[in-house]
Amino acid sequence: MNSRRSLLASLGTIGALPLAGPFSKATAAATGGRSGAVVLSTWDFGAAANAATFARLAAGGSLIDAVEAGAMVPEADPTNHSVGYSGYPDRDGHVTLDAVIMDDAGGVGAVAALEDTVHAISVARRVMERTPHTLLVGEGATRFARDQGFPQQSLLTPDSEKAWREWLKTAKYKPEANSEVRGLTPARTPGGALDHDTIGLLARTVDGRMAGACTTSGMAFKMRGRVGDSPQVGSGLYVEAGVGGATSTGLGEEVTRVAGSARVVASMRGGATAQQACEEVVRHIAKLRGDAIRGVQVGFLALDPKGNVGAFCLLPGFTYAVTDAAGRTTVLKAASLFKA
């Protein structure tokens, strides 16, 4: 395989590819501009989150209502070991959650290292709406959730605890990115339902207004206190009126080094398309980090006010779900800079 530097110099613009095969009219329809509302989210399991987002909009909810409703779906899913309830714990056996919610007028709320609360995204919204702050962490975030009436509930399910105890036997306390697929059957398939780590969600209404949400239980078996990109405004999520929004997935440490989502939106503000903007930041990370990111996944998903979509990643396997105003959902595979 060519070196990263030669790849960076030689690769041209690459569009999103559908799961079924090469670029097609269906792909163009799924990623091109739309006159109606549109919702997109990271990973193929995001289709259910998109549906909940649209349902809330159809019921008269605001954009913030809608993206919160969408993010709550994977948070409550006991089969999803990387978002909310049943998330894999840190190396000491504690499940901690990170989330952020944001509108395109600069309204933002976030929590990090939240414990014993299923819907981190809802607590993040309360931070936005009921405090003078943008981010609460750890014990303070958990106390705030109790004060706001969110029920206390253990997030460590039997399946997650079993995986953690198995990990302890051989791990030497080394965190694992995307470890929710470790040892599972069927084996990991790039772009498959088991190949995910976070949900980032972006929504646009017919008038071009936007909002977004991002929520996760973070890197499995991480050091206690670790916070990734997901709850950090400008890293895991960024939305700006008249410009667009972006969210990220993959190894959060690499996203935070470059304020990845804010950089995507800044490129769009400078005239880049959503696709070009996602590619620019991925290529920048590859150039900046060189061999340090060998085997590491980082991806970005972007949406502009006209409904145009962009997606790009370092390694194959990043999928995303796009749902249009008619309720049609298309799951697409983002193009990647490097081969597996």
Side-chain angles (χ1 to χ4, degrees):
M1 185 171 69
N2 293 335
S3 70
R4 281 168 167 73
R5 286 188 176 85
S6 63
L7 274 171
L8 285 167
S10 63
L11 284 178
T13 299
I14 305 175
L17 299 179
L19 289 173
F23 192 84
S24 66
K25 291 181 179 179
T27 306
T31 59
R34 297 159 184 78
S35 58
V38 59
V39 178
L40 60 153
S41 56
T42 56
W43 305 107
D44 40 6
F45 71 90
N50 289 8
T53 302
F54 263 113
R56 190 68 185 90
L57 285 173
S62 68
L63 264 173
I64 287 294
D65 292 334
V67 296
E68 177 189 17
M72 289 174 70
V73 173
E75 283 184 335
D77 183 356
T79 68
N80 189 325
H81 295 298
S82 63
V83 181
Y85 179 66
S86 194
Y88 283 160
D90 63 24
R91 69 183 190 178
D92 297 330
H94 304 274
V95 179
T96 61
L97 307 182
D98 305 328
V100 63
I101 193 166
M102 186 175 189
D103 64 29
D104 63 3
V108 62
V111 290
L114 174 72
E115 296 188 48
D116 300 324
T117 311
V118 173
H119 291 300
I121 197 66
S122 299
V123 182
R125 180 177 180 177
R126 296 289 181 88
V127 172
M128 177 178 70
E129 295 179 341
R130 300 189 182 182
T131 81
H133 309 304
T134 58
L135 174 64
L136 295 180
V137 303
E139 180 184 350
T142 302
R143 185 186 310 138
F144 175 74
R146 298 290 86 75
D147 291 344
Q148 290 295 307
F150 290 93
Q152 181 174 345
Q153 179 177 346
S154 174
L155 305 178
L156 186 64
T157 63
D159 285 347
S160 294
E161 182 175 7
K162 179 180 179 181
W164 169 62
R165 294 194 181 281
E166 287 298 317
W167 171 84
L168 283 174
K169 295 176 182 178
T170 58
K172 299 181 180 179
Y173 265 23
K174 181 180 179 181
E176 297 180 11
N178 291 104
S179 59
E180 67 274 9
V181 303
R182 180 176 177 265
L184 297 181
T185 302
R188 174 186 178 274
T189 300
L194 297 178
D195 185 16
H196 58 76
D197 60 355
T198 298
I199 185 164
L201 188 148
L202 299 167
R204 168 199 177 273
T205 55
V206 66
D207 59 356
R209 299 305 301 272
M210 298 180 65
C214 185
T215 183
T216 185
S217 55
M219 181 186 291
F221 319 130
K222 60 198 174 189
M223 292 179 65
R224 183 144 176 81
R226 180 264 187 185
V227 175
D229 63 312
S230 296
Q232 298 188 51
V233 178
S235 290
L237 178 73
Y238 196 74
V239 185
E240 184 175 323
V243 180
T247 188
S248 61
T249 191
L251 185 58
E253 282 75 2
E254 300 305 327
V255 177
T256 59
R257 294 180 202 279
V258 299
S261 291
R263 183 174 178 126
V264 170
V265 175
S267 291
M268 295 165 68
R269 190 186 311 116
T273 66
Q275 181 63 34
Q276 291 167 343
C278 290
E279 292 187 23
E280 189 280 329
V281 68
V282 168
R283 293 173 188 276
H284 173 72
I285 291 170
K287 182 178 180 180
L288 177 70
R289 299 287 287 153
D291 285 343
I293 56 152
R294 187 181 298 276
V296 169
Q297 177 65 297
V298 176
F300 293 91
L301 184 62
L303 178 67
D304 75 13
K306 295 182 179 180
N308 297 299
V309 177
F312 199 66
C313 54
L314 281 171
L315 296 174
F318 171 35
T319 62
Y320 59 100
V322 183
T323 305
D324 65 20
R328 295 181 294 255
T329 298
T330 306
V331 176
L332 301 170
K333 180 171 64 177
S336 62
L337 185 60
F338 304 126
K339 296 180 180 179

